Amino acid sequence: MISRRLLRLGVLASLTGALIVTPQAIAAPPDLGPNVIIFTPGTPQATIQQRVNQVFTQQERSQFGSNRYAFLFEPGSYNVNINVGYYTQVLGLGMSPDNTNINGAVHVEADWFGGNATHNFWRGAENLAVAPSGGTDRWAVSQAAPYRRMHLKGNLQLDDGGWSSGGFIADSKIDGQIRSGSQQQWYTRDSQIGSWSGANWNMVFTGVAGAPANTFPSPPHTTVANTPVIREKPFLYADSSRNYHVFVPGLRNNARGTTWQSGAPAGTSIPVSQFFIVKPGTTAAQINAALAQGQHLLVTPGIYRLNQTIQVTRPNTVVLGLGLATFIPENGITALSVADVDGVKIAGILVDAGATNSNTLVQIGPNGSSASHAANPTSLHDLFIRVGGAGVGRATNSLVINSNNVISDHSWIWRGDHGSGVGWNTNTADVGLIVNGNDVTAYGLFVEHYQKYQTIWNGNRGRTYFYQNEMPYDPPNQAAWMNGSTRGYAAYKVANNVTNHEAWGLGSYCNFNVNRSVVGERAFEVPNVPGVRFHSMVTVSLGGAGTINRIINNTGGPSNPQRNVANLANYP
């Protein structure tokens, strides 16, 4: 008996010359819940266009809304114009981006905000080839809007005329020119581009063929030839029989360029039958029971309120979210914890703090983790954390990494500065990221608005490639934001006992819009030892609203109402 399958007729010749009709089973897509919309080349183009327009109209302004969507395009060609709104992910289902061709556009605009793209968060495009009408597509975004594993057969514009504050590209090929326009900062990793045009404060490239030369601060391009250690984000794909799998790319060392242009990438396919599919209504107890039985998680678009911590205890477990799937912890618990084991992959999850304070929202490895995972590290991809904005949220620490060798591949860790439930005494949050593990590497790290240190790095041999930060906007006065006798807290603190740490392309900005007299004494605070080295740093007083007195330790700066931007190429 064939369950949930379609039959295709195959005609074979028998030894006697008679024609024998045999059924070949073609799998139906798995049930991915009500918020995943799957298109095939046989779907009428008008139907596709109508559906994507309907979702965009609903999601265009829904910055803190509760709806979540994923559009999945099976391999083939489509004539469609996809305007990507909030909490919407557009995914191709081929093993290569070139298996799924969009003739038209997959784009993000800022029409809803008068061309200002600084609020265009929480959306994404992955694993598609796009031939844009007119030769240029637009991806006018800011944080938490990844553009991954894309082949754009033309130019890419990263703004919409007003300000923009993104963003992230990885494992992509842009045939033409990337035009950054008003982008304040951008990180591009392991890609191939025709050329790059534009710079503002902090443009960083690692492992990018076609990247501009390293010229920081004039223009502020920071270019590193290779990416030292990386694993690309796992992705969903359908084989020729429409069987669905999750592909887990292999670990790469000294990477440069895409994983897919030269053929099938290295890695492992896991059939979707080995995944527990989390759909709206699934409980935390059901999720943990599936994990305990050795299943992976495919988390479909939705909001999941957790009354117990999601516990990932087995090595090599994959947790893959679609459509900005969102976990909200209740009663002050930790939303997600990972044991100190090899090779866990957490990807495409948004964690939103609950109204009761959590000490920690996401923990990678328990306190005191000490095992080496150099051969098979845990990796975090498009892991986004939010405290306030959609409602009151509180968390002492947002992300704590205790395990060694962890790779953080694009994260936005954000204490809300606007929306609902925000205020100095409302969405309280001390620290965004604490790294206790050794040999942890972060790519595309965005941490903003926390009330004490934004990032504390206690482990040795840490590396960061691109850091974007804004200090808290809302200290009511200087007395409310003091670190002992020091004015304010640094955006990035390397602990005094660390002997080896290196970072490239770091920006910290202030916008003390509640009280413009507030001062942050320094953006980066590090021990003065030979093994701690920082490259390409910038501080900015946004519109002159407040002061960052020094860039790093007692060197560089200030950024203030008289001189908004200050740069420092190297320290020491």
Side-chain angles (χ1 to χ4, degrees):
M1 177 177 173
I2 299 174
S3 175
R4 296 181 64 247
R5 288 180 180 267
L6 306 176
L7 295 181
R8 180 174 63 189
L9 293 181
V11 181
L12 301 175
S14 72
L15 292 177
T16 62
L19 292 179
I20 302 174
V21 179
T22 60
Q24 283 187 341
I26 300 298
D31 180 2
L32 298 178
N35 303 320
V36 173
I37 299 103
I38 301 174
F39 298 121
T40 73
T43 309
Q45 303 297 301
T47 300
I48 299 173
Q49 192 66 63
Q50 181 183 34
R51 188 70 173 108
V52 299
N53 289 350
Q54 178 188 36
V55 169
F56 174 72
T57 299
Q58 176 184 292
Q59 298 300 108
E60 180 181 13
R61 298 170 179 267
S62 187
Q63 183 171 177
F64 297 107
S66 59
N67 292 306
R68 306 282 188 271
Y69 295 96
F71 291 121
L72 308 186
F73 287 82
E74 293 193 357
S77 293
Y78 302 83
N79 299 313
V80 62
N81 181 327
I82 307 169
N83 205 341
V84 185
Y86 280 106
Y87 309 108
T88 304
Q89 191 181 30
V90 185
L91 305 169
L93 289 175
M95 266 299 289
S96 165
D98 287 331
N99 295 147
T100 309
N101 291 278
I102 304 293
N103 299 306
V106 177
H107 60 115
V108 176
E109 311 288 339
D111 300 335
W112 72 279
F113 206 34
N116 182 342
T118 58
H119 288 196
N120 277 357
F121 315 133
W122 302 306
R123 64 198 77 199
E126 295 184 34
N127 203 27
L128 297 163
V130 180
S133 303
T136 298
D137 218 348
R138 189 191 310 277
W139 193 254
V141 299
S142 291
Q143 292 83 359
Y147 196 83
R148 286 184 179 270
R149 201 175 164 79
M150 296 288 286
H151 181 191
L152 185 66
K153 301 175 181 179
N155 306 310
L156 186 62
Q157 184 73 36
L158 300 180
D159 74 333
D160 197 9
W163 279 111
S164 45
S165 184
F168 180 86
I169 293 173
D171 201 21
S172 294
K173 183 176 189 290
I174 313 300
D175 291 350
Q177 184 177 77
I178 299 180
R179 302 164 184 168
S180 65
S182 66
Q183 280 292 343
Q184 296 166 346
Q185 64 276 317
W186 196 275
Y187 178 57
T188 308
R189 178 182 61 66
D190 297 318
S191 295
Q192 180 174 331
I193 66 177
S195 62
W196 178 279
S197 172
N200 205 333
W201 298 329
N202 186 32
M203 306 309 194
V204 181
F205 309 82
T206 66
V208 178
N214 185 59
T215 54
F216 187 91
S218 184
H221 294 150
T222 301
T223 301
V224 178
N226 295 54
T227 300
V229 57
I230 191 66
R231 175 190 291 124
E232 294 298 336
K233 180 182 177 182
F235 62 91
L236 191 65
Y237 78 97
D239 65 22
S240 59
S241 297
R242 296 186 78 199
N243 293 298
Y244 278 52
H245 310 260
V246 170
F247 189 80
V248 181
L251 198 66
R252 293 206 294 170
N253 294 291
N254 296 316
R256 183 174 175 84
T258 73
T259 60
W260 50 268
Q261 282 176 258
S262 300
T268 304
S269 285
I270 306 172
V272 80
S273 59
Q274 295 182 20
F275 283 75
F276 178 69
I277 299 177
V278 181
K279 291 179 283 194
T282 304
T283 67
Q286 291 170 320
I287 293 171
N288 279 328
L291 288 168
Q293 292 167 9
Q295 291 184 281
H296 306 279
L297 299 181
L298 185 59
V299 190
T300 70
I303 293 178
Y304 302 91
R305 296 186 177 274
L306 307 176
N307 59 6
Q308 59 181 253
T309 300
I310 303 304
Q311 298 184 28
V312 180
T313 61
R314 293 173 178 263
N316 300 310
T317 300
V318 177
V319 178
L320 176 60
L322 301 176
L324 283 297
T326 302
F327 290 156
I328 302 178
E330 296 182 330
N331 303 317
I333 65 172
T334 296
L336 176 66
S337 72
V338 177
D340 190 31
V341 295
D342 277 355
V344 172
K345 297 91 183 172
I346 308 292
I349 297 292
L350 169 61
V351 175
D352 205 354
T356 301
N357 185 73
S358 294
N359 182 66
T360 300
L361 290 174
V362 179
Q363 180 173 286
I364 309 301
N367 294 334
S369 294
S370 59
S372 173
H373 307 288
N376 187 13
T378 284
S379 53
L380 314 175
H381 313 267
D382 301 340
L383 174 61
F384 307 133
I385 299 176
R386 180 170 71 192
V387 182
V392 174
R394 299 182 177 97
T396 305
N397 308 303
S398 283
L399 173 62
V400 176
I401 299 176
N402 293 313
S403 289
N404 297 325
N405 310 103
V406 172
I407 298 169
S408 174
D409 174 36
H410 189 220
S411 60
W412 186 33
I413 305 168
W414 185 68
R415 173 181 171 260
D417 63 278
H418 64 276
S420 174
V422 299
W424 187 251
N425 296 311
T426 304
N427 61 326
T428 52
D430 283 0
V431 181
L433 170 66
I434 300 175
V435 179
N436 295 319
N438 295 325
D439 301 290
V440 172
T441 305
Y443 304 100
L445 177 58
F446 300 74
V447 187
E448 297 189 293
H449 308 309
Y450 285 81
Q451 293 173 293
K452 293 185 178 179
Y453 290 115
Q454 310 295 305
T455 297
I456 300 174
W457 210 294
N458 296 316
N460 256 307
R461 296 179 300 280
R463 295 173 292 191
T464 295
Y465 297 84
F466 180 93
Y467 184 74
Q468 188 264 328
N469 162 259
E470 290 180 359
M471 293 178 173
Y473 284 3
D474 54 343
N477 50 58
Q478 191 69 63
W481 197 51
M482 293 289 291
N483 180 14
S485 61
T486 300
R487 293 178 292 183
Y489 289 81
Y492 191 110
K493 164 72 173 177
V494 179
N496 294 337
N497 63 323
V498 170
T499 58
N500 187 288
H501 187 97
E502 195 160 9
W504 294 258
L506 306 100
S508 179
Y509 315 146
C510 75
N511 179 25
F512 300 127
N513 57 19
V514 172
N515 188 329
R516 296 167 73 99
S517 70
V518 169
V519 177
E521 189 59 40
R522 58 184 59 87
F524 308 104
E525 188 172 302
V526 307
N528 282 309
V529 295
V532 175
R533 301 180 296 275
F534 277 59
H535 314 281
S536 303
M537 292 161 281
V538 58
T539 57
V540 183
S541 175
L542 295 168
T547 297
I548 300 176
N549 194 42
R550 292 284 180 256
I551 295 177
I552 185 167
N553 292 350
N554 295 319
T555 300
S559 291
N560 57 24
Q562 291 72 46
R563 186 180 76 162
N564 292 171
V565 181
N567 295 295
L568 185 64
N570 291 289
Y571 183 89

